[in-house]
Structures are given as C-alpha cells and as structure tokens.
Amino acid sequence: MTTMREAPTGARSAREVLDWSREVVDSGMRAAVDTLPESVRHIAGYHLGWWDVRGRPESADRGKALRPALTLLCTRAVGADSSVGLPAAVAVELTHNFSLLHDDVMDGDRTRRHRLTAWSAFGVGPAILAGDALLTLALDVLTTSGHPECRLAAHSLSDAVQELLHGQMLDLEFERRDSVSLDECLTMAEGKTAALLGRACALGALFGGGRPAQVQLLRSYGERLGLAFQLVDDLLGIWGDPRRTGKPVYSDVISRKKSLPVVAALTSGTDAGRELADLYGRPDPLSGPQLARAGELIELAGGRAWSADHAEEMLTEALRHLNASGPDPESAAELTAVARLVVARDR
C-alpha cells in the first residue's frame, strides 16, 4: 500500500475533506487496480475516470469519495494517524465501485457522471466481471495490509456486502410488485446504502485502534448517515438538476422506481397518491407531461416533504452517535460537516 499525505491541522470544510480524501485514496486505488489483469483493469480504470474507452489518460468526474473520507476521518476520530486507515479506505471505495458497476447493469443506466457507463461502453458481461474483480481486490487489500485486525475487517466488509446484496435484491423485487410498504423500503435502503457507509466508519475506527464501543457507535453514525444519503439521493433521482446528477430529471420516475419519496406518496392514502398509483400502473412508458405530473403528485402526496424531514431526523441521530463515541474534536467537526453536506445536496 502506498503512503499518503496526512491531513493538515485545523478542521476543514466538508468540500476540503472530500477533495483531500479523493487525492490520497486515488493513489492507493491506482496501486491496487494496477495489480488486476489488463482485461478488467482497463474497464475498471475507465469506470473510475482515469482514462477513456481507448485507455488514453483522462480526468473525468471520479465521484465524491464520501466513503473513504468517512473511513479516514473515523481513523483519526479514535486518535490514530489517518494513514493507518488507508487500506480500509481503499477497500471500501473498491467495494462501492463494484456495486456501482453492477447497479448500472441492473438499472439499465447508460450514463454515470456525464459519461457512458462501463456496460454501455464495453458490454454487460465485461462490466460485471470488472465489478467482480474490484470486490475481490477490496478483500485482498484488507487481508494483505498487515494490520492486526485485517481478518476481522475482511469479515466485516464481507458481511456489509451481503447486506448490500440483500438490499439490492429487495430493490429489484419491488420493481415487480404493485405494493411496497414504507418499512420495506427503509429496510431496502438500510442494506443497499447504509450498510456500506456504516462499515466504512467502523473499519476506519477498527484500523485506528478504537475501542469496541467506539467502533460500534461510529458504525451507527455511518448507518444513519447512509439512510439520510439514500433519502436525499432519491429526491435527486426525481428533482435533481441533470447538470449535477448526470441523469435526466425524473430519472427514477421514468423507470417507475419505487424509491422512498414515491413509496411515501403511494402509501399516503391521499387522492394524489392514488392518482400516482394509476400512473405507475400503466403499461406504456410515461410521456413528458406525465412525468411532470408524477413529480407533482409525489410532492402533493407528501413524499418529498417526508423524505426531506426523515433525512434531517437521520442526520440528528447520526450526530448523536458520533458525539457519544468521544471522538477527537477536530475529526468530529469534520465528520459533522461532511454529514451536513450529505443532507444538503438537494438544495
């Protein structure tokens, strides 16, 4: 594993933290991906924004690097140098990108971060194999790190992946069902999104030598933040600015995705919710005016407000767990700033 530049002293803004995380984790990611066979390495590097389809160097959008930022900050939060958590941060980011490669295939998304998705550029099979390679690589990074807790860390990450897969299976199942409850939708989000964010924090604390109670509290911080993240992501999937999201407006409505705002609206017992159910139940693709009407109905039925309010509730719970862990004050300030930025993405 490569060395990394330690964070400067003094609490930084959330944007500064994410920029720093992206920079320091990128070197570790490149070192790890360089060990892959060329066939999957090429696809992985394209997906990660390092080069174009032909392999020519490119500086594309590489994402927010939220999960590795949480890992590194949680390593510092328990009193260790953040460089100690670099293998865990790299493993978490590799795992996240494994899930993105597979998600794009399952959702049929042709663009991500304003570029063709890997399956659109290289084919479904190669993209799936590249995702598999990143997941295997993530576990390898942990087990070869030499950290005394590397086996426990690998087991913990593997467990999170199982939760993620269960959440993804539920998401796929919901597409085939006419009725989904809000509790079921929250359970799906807990697996699909919150599990990995929680483990990103836990692995950082574990690598930093945190006490078991600290590791658990920081995991809970990440899980609550993960739910907030998914709630906001679902809002952006309907009303997000395409220039920021890289996807068309109403993208989740186009695919009739039963996201949290949609399910909150469908189960609201309102006239708007019933009209929305009628639109979602039609066999033909929704037209432009119908998409706009669906977005309006979700808002009228309370789905948008419920999601925004619940995201704020999850943020409050996340910060309560963070403070209970007794973190390093500077790291606590940065973890708080990052959490608030997550919830503010839809504004």
Side-chain angles (χ1 to χ4, degrees):
M1 182 59 62
T2 58
T3 58
M4 62 175 279
R5 178 170 58 84
E6 177 55 25
T9 58
R12 300 156 294 177
S13 70
R15 297 289 183 189
E16 289 171 330
V17 166
L18 295 178
D19 288 344
W20 165 76
S21 168
R22 189 181 299 108
E23 177 186 343
V24 298
V25 173
D26 190 67
S27 61
M29 292 279 289
R30 287 177 183 268
V33 170
D34 277 348
T35 67
L36 293 174
E38 175 57 27
S39 55
V40 289
R41 175 182 173 273
H42 179 63
I43 300 170
Y46 169 81
H47 167 76
L48 292 166
W50 298 338
W51 45 73
D52 64 14
V53 174
R54 297 183 180 179
R56 296 173 298 198
E58 187 174 56
S59 184
D61 184 354
R62 290 173 286 162
K64 296 176 287 296
L66 170 64
R67 290 155 189 82
L70 294 175
T71 303
L72 297 174
L73 289 180
C74 285
T75 300
R76 293 186 72 205
V78 298
D81 188 295
S82 58
S83 62
V84 175
L86 182 57
V90 170
V92 164
E93 187 67 354
L94 288 169
T95 302
H96 172 54
N97 280 281
F98 136 77
S99 72
L100 295 183
L101 280 161
H102 284 204
D103 278 355
D104 287 341
V105 170
M106 289 183 285
D107 294 343
D109 288 338
R110 293 191 169 274
T111 59
R112 175 176 291 279
R113 300 168 187 159
H114 309 284
R115 305 165 85 219
L116 286 175
T117 51
W119 76 264
S120 298
F122 299 97
V124 170
I128 291 173
L129 292 173
D132 294 342
L134 292 187
L135 178 58
T136 304
L137 185 59
L139 294 171
D140 187 55
V141 166
L142 286 178
T143 55
T144 61
S145 66
H147 192 281
E149 299 288 1
C150 64
R151 290 183 63 186
L152 178 59
H155 175 74
S156 182
L157 183 61
S158 178
D159 187 56
V161 171
Q162 296 295 338
E163 293 181 48
L164 185 157
L165 296 176
H166 176 61
Q168 186 66 57
M169 284 288 287
L170 290 176
D171 198 21
L172 292 173
E173 179 188 324
F174 294 169
E175 293 178 10
R176 303 190 299 269
R177 287 170 48 184
D178 294 331
S179 177
V180 176
S181 74
L182 202 47
D183 283 344
E184 286 178 313
C185 203
L186 285 167
T187 297
M188 178 271 292
E190 287 171 355
K192 182 179 175 181
T193 305
L196 187 56
L197 263 78
R199 230 53 68 95
C201 297
L203 291 181
L206 182 67
F207 265 58
R211 301 185 307 277
Q214 286 181 302
V215 173
Q216 182 57 52
L217 284 165
L218 288 170
R219 173 179 167 177
S220 296
Y221 156 82
E223 288 172 344
R224 299 303 185 276
L225 182 58
L227 278 175
F229 182 97
Q230 187 60 60
L231 285 155
V232 173
D233 222 42
D234 286 353
L235 289 169
L236 292 172
I238 301 172
W239 297 285
D241 184 344
R243 292 171 297 181
R244 295 174 56 193
T245 65
K247 296 182 179 182
V249 68
Y250 305 126
S251 61
D252 284 354
V253 178
I254 293 170
S255 60
R256 291 182 173 85
K257 195 173 187 68
K258 293 183 177 68
S259 62
L260 285 158
V262 170
V263 173
L266 289 172
T267 59
S268 65
T270 62
D271 289 342
R274 285 184 282 272
E275 185 179 341
L276 178 66
D278 177 66
L279 273 177
Y280 257 57
R282 296 181 183 182
D284 299 327
L286 299 180
S287 66
Q290 288 173 321
L291 291 172
R293 180 57 178 166
E296 182 181 20
L297 291 169
I298 295 167
E299 188 159 7
L300 288 171
R304 187 172 190 170
W306 179 88
S307 298
D309 290 346
H310 203 60
E312 289 288 349
E313 291 174 15
M314 291 300 99
L315 171 63
T316 298
E317 287 192 22
L319 297 181
R320 179 170 56 82
H321 288 296
L322 170 63
N323 293 330
S325 71
D328 161 75
E330 186 176 292
S331 301
E334 293 178 348
L335 284 163
T336 298
V338 169
R340 294 191 185 285
L341 179 65
V342 164
V343 177
R345 285 180 302 144
D346 66 325
R347 296 169 192 164

